[in-house]
Amino acid sequence: MWATGQYQSGQGALSALNPNTTASTVMYGTSASSLTSMASGTSEIYNQNYNLTVPGNGGSTALNYTSPVLHTVVLNNLTAGTKYFYQVGDGTTFSSTFNFTSLAAPSATAPQRFLLIADWGLSQNSSVTLQHILQSAANTTTAPAVLYIADFCYADTWYTNGSVLVPNTGLEGLISGTYQPVWDAWQRFIQPLVSNVPMLACTGNHEIEAQSDASDSMFKSVQARWKMPSNASNSPSYFFHSQAVGPAHVINLSPYVDYTPGSPQWQWLVEDLSGINRSVTPWVIVDIHNPWYTTDTSYKEFEQMRVSMEPLTYKHGVDLFFYGHVHAYERTHPMYDYTIDPCGAVHITIGDGGNSEGLSFLASNKMSPGRPLLHVA
């Protein structure tokens, strides 16, 4: 995905760019000097509009937004574990040449490096995280993949007029305003990584970004800017999907769409877990933004999701859960239903990627009085 044109921000009606005036084309190949394959795709724009009568959204100072043209091209039938070079453009004018290595083929014996990030945002600490991740990606003998456990740019910790909300946690989620140019800045910031390393992601609370439109739209920005492999994993929804990467089958779930028994997400999970060949991908990993197990103040925040889905993941022998949301590192023993169980999964909250909200404060005795279920750092 890439962007062309300039976003617009201002009060009242804005003149949106026409996404149909610029083609979406990728030239690619296995040699930088011979980009002989071509793929075409789609383009779109989105708008973020605000109710000027809501003081929490900036009131009369709120700035509406219309995005640059966002281009998406899917490259099909790539050879697994192969280095590709590519340029993006409109069929006439193209970018400089980038490269990436395609995901490893499913294999029970192949090594695989996953680069884990959550709650990244834009701050000095975010820059440190980017440098660490780039160094790790460069210092591996196998093609890495990023697992991004949501909360992307934290556009909803800004007022809609472009000033920073202090403290910057008060308007997130359903009551957020959000300042959309932060998305544009963040995607430029992460380009050195995502232009070269495949990234699998899920969605979190900071992507809700409620709209002031007729349908009260939510998650509009992230759906336009970050495409998920839903079709490839037979998922009916943007919000849950899976991908085989080397020896691992990686599943992304969402606490922000229905997860109760019989729901589309629950039923898809049943089918996805049932279809895994453990002789080919012996590791099964689940990524969810909000932890099922934590000693943070979000303890049992999505307990209904855990109650609905943990029996399925336990039955099918899921090995690992990765979480974000809590800005600290925690790791459990193998467990099921708050009890140490050698057949259960290990649950890991991976820590803070650098956003400006700060670190979480954990209470090691909250979840497990008398039982050492958690390692807290």
Side-chain angles (χ1 to χ4, degrees), residues 193-237:
L193 175 65
V194 298
S195 61
N196 290 279
V197 180
M199 182 163 150
L200 306 173
C202 57
T203 50
N205 51 298
H206 283 280
E207 285 74 69
I208 293 174
E209 297 184 307
Q211 284 264 359
S212 296
D213 59 16
S215 57
D216 296 321
S217 301
M218 295 184 289
F219 296 100
K220 194 170 186 178
S221 307
V222 70
Q223 290 187 78
R225 293 176 178 272
W226 210 268
K227 302 306 180 183
M228 307 293 188
S230 300
N231 290 340
S233 54
N234 297 314
S235 168
S237 171

Side-chain angles (χ1 to χ4, degrees), residues 149-299:
I149 323 296
D151 280 1
F152 289 67
C153 69
Y154 287 75
D156 63 346
T157 60
W158 295 61
Y159 282 121
T160 57
N161 59 14
S163 59
V164 180
L165 176 63
V166 180
N168 59 1
T169 59
L171 294 178
E172 68 179 57
L174 287 170
I175 60 171
S176 68
T178 93
Y179 186 58
Q180 290 298 295
V182 176
W183 272 104
D184 299 295
W186 186 76
Q187 290 192 279
R188 289 192 294 271
F189 164 68
I190 66 171
Q191 178 180 305
L193 175 65
V194 298
S195 61
N196 290 279
V197 180
M199 182 163 150
L200 306 173
C202 57
T203 50
N205 51 298
H206 283 280
E207 285 74 69
I208 293 174
E209 297 184 307
Q211 284 264 359
S212 296
D213 59 16
S215 57
D216 296 321
S217 301
M218 295 184 289
F219 296 100
K220 194 170 186 178
S221 307
V222 70
Q223 290 187 78
R225 293 176 178 272
W226 210 268
K227 302 306 180 183
M228 307 293 188
S230 300
N231 290 340
S233 54
N234 297 314
S235 168
S237 171
Y238 174 89
F239 295 96
F240 45 92
H241 41 81
S242 64
Q243 175 72 51
V245 185
H249 184 89
V250 181
I251 298 170
N252 285 279
L253 299 176
S254 175
Y256 298 101
V257 294
D258 192 355
Y259 42 69
T260 55
S263 67
Q265 182 171 202
W266 187 93
Q267 188 58 46
W268 173 84
L269 180 60
V270 170
E271 295 169 1
D272 193 71
L273 289 170
S274 299
I276 299 171
N277 184 344
R278 299 299 283 263
S279 66
V280 178
T281 51
W283 290 90
V284 178
I285 298 170
V286 173
D287 298 337
I288 308 172
H289 181 62
N290 305 72
W292 287 357
Y293 295 99
T294 181
T295 64
D296 181 64
T297 54
S298 56
Y299 172 67

Side-chain angles (χ1 to χ4, degrees), residues 25 37 49-50 52-53 76 103 114 153 160 175 204 217 228 233 248 270 275 287-288 299 303 321 358 370 372 375:
T25 305
S37 298
N49 299 311
Y50 301 111
L52 300 185
T53 66
N76 293 308
L103 294 174
F114 288 115
C153 69
T160 57
I175 60 171
S217 301
M228 307 293 188
S233 54
V270 170
D287 298 337
I288 308 172
Y299 172 67
E303 179 69 356
F321 283 77
H375 300 285

Side-chain angles (χ1 to χ4, degrees), residues 287-356:
D287 298 337
I288 308 172
H289 181 62
N290 305 72
W292 287 357
Y293 295 99
T294 181
T295 64
D296 181 64
T297 54
S298 56
Y299 172 67
K300 290 193 174 183
E301 180 181 9
F302 282 92
E303 179 69 356
Q304 186 181 16
M305 184 184 192
R306 185 195 69 80
V307 170
S308 296
M309 290 186 154
E310 191 178 29
L312 295 178
T313 61
Y314 181 75
K315 174 184 176 182
H316 290 277
V318 168
D319 300 287
L320 283 169
F321 283 77
F322 289 125
Y323 304 111
H325 194 58
V326 173
H327 300 167
Y329 173 81
E330 294 183 283
R331 183 183 73 248
T332 71
H333 290 276
M335 61 190 303
Y336 174 65
D337 196 22
Y338 294 97
T339 302
I340 294 176
D341 185 327
C343 296
V346 173
H347 298 256
I348 300 175
T349 301
I350 67 172
D352 183 7
N355 74 86
S356 57

Side-chain angles (χ1 to χ4, degrees), residues 51-94:
N51 186 339
L52 300 185
T53 66
V54 180
N57 286 355
S60 61
T61 67
L63 301 176
N64 291 332
Y65 173 91
T66 183
S67 74
V69 177
L70 305 171
H71 302 267
T72 300
V73 174
V74 177
L75 304 184
N76 293 308
N77 301 316
L78 299 179
T79 303
T82 301
K83 190 171 186 177
Y84 286 91
F85 299 85
Y86 69 99
Q87 296 176 345
V88 302
D90 60 6
T92 302
T93 302
F94 286 90

